[in-house]
């Protein structure tokens, strides 16, 4: 293995008799955001924990910058930044103090940490909250503070486990802009997310996982082009059965909620047939990553969803 930010080879992880990660291999390139998406229980968080050294694989190899995890865990973690699914900020400390104390964990001198804090708070758009404690912050502010804290050691690789869960759309877009800025600094990111728009927006490449295995991978655009037709019509019909002429024009169709989705190569022919149909509403949109995800992993609810 070379000096890439992260390389994982043939990872296997059991919890009792349950195989949570099943022969998973991937790498993260410099300046790349690699996303892992999958249903609950797919193995995403287990992979993050193994890459952090907080959980050991039963077999397989993890390397970061030519060092081995967990053998070189202390040295590797000096170059890592981590944002967990759940808030781990200290509620008794102010924003400033959260950054100061966290920086000490890396052996940084107080003077050096204090020099960094103003720019990190500015990056997180929290300069006006320097003396506020986490309990006084909104969800989006807490996530931005967690991201700022993860940058205190100037990491080369960020491990982000569902970093925008629970945030409103505006807060999510703010986090995205901050992550874009980090990628421009040639930092690398391993991201897990349940938001398909987030994965499509941020990630250069994606691993799609289910039941511990990688079931497909590629760039978001390549996955969409390979796995689903480019045009989607979402139609609410006023009566059933649905017209056979529409079914004949689509490569496949399915019911999602109270709408039928038709996946179509040639929208012109489909629209011509649609003019002869009675419907309540119709939406014509390009195919997206959610279409890919649901095609590969199914639509049934998973345990924990």
């Amino acid at each position: 293995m070379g000096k890439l930010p992260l390389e994982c080879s043939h990872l296997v992880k059991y919890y009792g008799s349950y195989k949570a990660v099943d022969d998973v291999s991937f790498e993260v390139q410099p300046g790349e955001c690699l996303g892992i998406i999958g249903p609950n229980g797919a193995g995403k968080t287990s992979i993050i924990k193994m890459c952090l050294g907080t959980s050991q694989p039963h077999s397989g190899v993890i390397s970061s910058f030519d060092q081995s995890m967990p053998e070189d865990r202390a040295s590797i973690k000096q170059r890592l930044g981590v944002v967990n699914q759940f808030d781990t900020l200290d509620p008794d400390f102010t924003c400033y103090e959260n950054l100061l104390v966290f920086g000490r964990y890396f052996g940084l001198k107080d003077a050096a940490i204090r020099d960094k804090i103003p720019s990190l708070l500015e990056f997180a758009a929290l300069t006006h909250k320097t003396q506020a404690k986490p309990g006084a912050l909104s969800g989006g502010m807490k996530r931005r503070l967690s991201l700022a804290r993860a940058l205190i050691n100037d990491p080369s690789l960020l491990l982000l486990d569902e970093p925008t869960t629970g945030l409103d759309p505006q807060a999510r877009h703010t986090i995205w802009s901050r992550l874009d800025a980090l990628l421009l600094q040639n930092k690398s990111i391993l991201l897990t997310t349940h938001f398909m728009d987030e994965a499509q927006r941020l990630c250069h490449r994606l691993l799609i996982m289910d039941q511990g295995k990688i079931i497909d991978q590629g760039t978001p655009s390549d996955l969409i082009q390979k796995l689903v037709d480019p045009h989607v019509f979402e139609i609410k019909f006023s009566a059933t059965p649905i017209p056979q002429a529409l079914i004949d024009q689509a490569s496949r169709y399915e019911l999602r909620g109270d709408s039928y989705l038709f996946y179509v190569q040639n929208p012109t022919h489909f629209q011509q047939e649609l003019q002869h149909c009675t419907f309540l509403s119709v939406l014509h949109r390009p195919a997206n990553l959610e279409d890919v995800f649901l095609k590969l992993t199914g639509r049934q609810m998973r345990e924990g969803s």
Side-chain angles (χ1 to χ4, degrees):
M1 291 188 172
K3 293 187 178 182
L4 290 174
L6 184 65
E7 293 179 87
C8 297
S9 180
H10 302 291
L11 295 183
V12 174
K13 177 67 179 179
Y14 285 92
Y15 294 101
S17 61
Y18 175 66
K19 188 183 284 188
V21 179
D22 187 358
D23 194 24
V24 169
S25 300
F26 64 89
E27 77 288 329
V28 180
Q29 299 288 335
E32 177 184 46
C33 181
L34 177 69
I36 305 178
I37 59 177
N40 287 330
K44 305 183 298 297
T45 297
S46 294
I47 288 173
I48 293 287
K49 289 180 177 178
M50 287 188 285
C51 292
L52 276 173
T54 58
S55 176
Q56 293 192 24
H58 286 89
S59 62
V61 178
I62 300 173
S63 175
S64 181
F65 300 106
D66 209 25
Q67 295 180 304
S68 297
M69 181 68 82
E71 292 81 2
D72 301 314
R73 176 184 172 186
S75 178
I76 289 173
K77 291 191 78 172
Q78 291 290 320
R79 302 185 69 172
L80 293 183
V82 182
V83 177
N84 295 303
Q85 286 184 37
F86 306 107
D87 176 20
T88 58
L89 299 167
D90 194 310
D92 297 322
F93 293 156
T94 65
C95 292
Y96 189 98
E97 291 166 341
N98 263 280
L99 297 179
L100 178 64
V101 171
F102 199 72
R104 291 170 180 166
Y105 295 153
F106 293 94
L108 301 174
K109 301 295 185 183
D110 277 14
I113 303 170
R114 292 183 190 278
D115 284 343
K116 292 183 175 187
I117 288 176
S119 61
L120 288 174
L121 289 173
E122 182 179 0
F123 174 82
L126 289 173
T127 301
H128 62 302
K129 295 290 186 178
T130 299
Q131 298 305 317
K133 293 183 178 180
L137 304 179
S138 68
M141 290 177 179
K142 288 179 183 178
R143 300 309 278 171
R144 297 202 305 271
L145 180 59
S146 294
L147 180 58
R149 189 182 65 172
L151 298 172
I152 194 71
N153 58 321
D154 191 24
S156 302
L157 172 65
L158 287 159
L159 304 181
L160 309 180
D161 194 9
E162 300 183 23
T164 64
T165 295
L167 301 186
D168 61 40
Q170 185 178 26
R172 287 170 59 208
H173 279 270
T174 301
I175 293 288
W176 295 350
S177 69
R178 299 306 188 266
L179 297 180
D180 282 335
L182 295 174
L183 291 169
L184 289 174
Q185 297 172 28
N186 207 41
K187 296 188 184 299
S188 302
I189 297 174
L190 178 64
L191 170 77
T192 74
T193 181
H194 279 301
F195 296 113
M196 296 302 106
D197 57 341
E198 181 166 281
Q200 192 167 340
R201 163 76 168 70
L202 287 176
C203 298
H204 299 100
R205 288 189 300 124
L206 288 168
L207 310 179
I208 303 178
M209 293 190 63
D210 199 9
Q211 299 180 343
K213 292 179 175 288
I214 296 173
I215 58 175
D216 216 324
Q217 59 186 298
T219 68
S221 59
D222 285 347
L223 286 167
I224 294 168
Q225 183 175 2
K226 178 175 71 170
L227 294 170
V228 291
D229 285 326
H231 298 273
V232 183
F233 288 84
E234 298 186 16
I235 305 174
K236 292 182 181 180
F237 291 100
S238 55
T240 55
I242 59 176
Q244 184 64 41
L246 294 184
I247 295 174
D248 293 341
Q249 288 295 329
S251 61
R252 68 186 179 95
Y253 75 100
E254 60 192 45
L255 181 64
R256 187 187 299 179
D258 59 355
S259 296
Y260 282 89
L261 273 64
F262 294 83
Y263 294 88
V264 176
Q265 277 285 347
N266 190 325
T268 302
H269 293 165
F270 188 88
Q271 287 169 323
Q272 289 172 348
E273 294 295 340
L274 188 59
Q275 293 176 6
H276 307 297
C277 301
T278 302
F279 52 83
L280 298 176
S281 66
V282 60
L283 171 66
H284 177 199
R285 62 169 176 81
N288 57 37
L289 194 59
E290 183 171 311
D291 297 311
V292 170
F293 180 80
L294 292 174
K295 179 181 180 182
L296 290 177
T297 64
R299 298 184 180 279
Q300 69 272 25
M301 293 289 287
R302 305 296 178 95
E303 184 176 349
S305 297

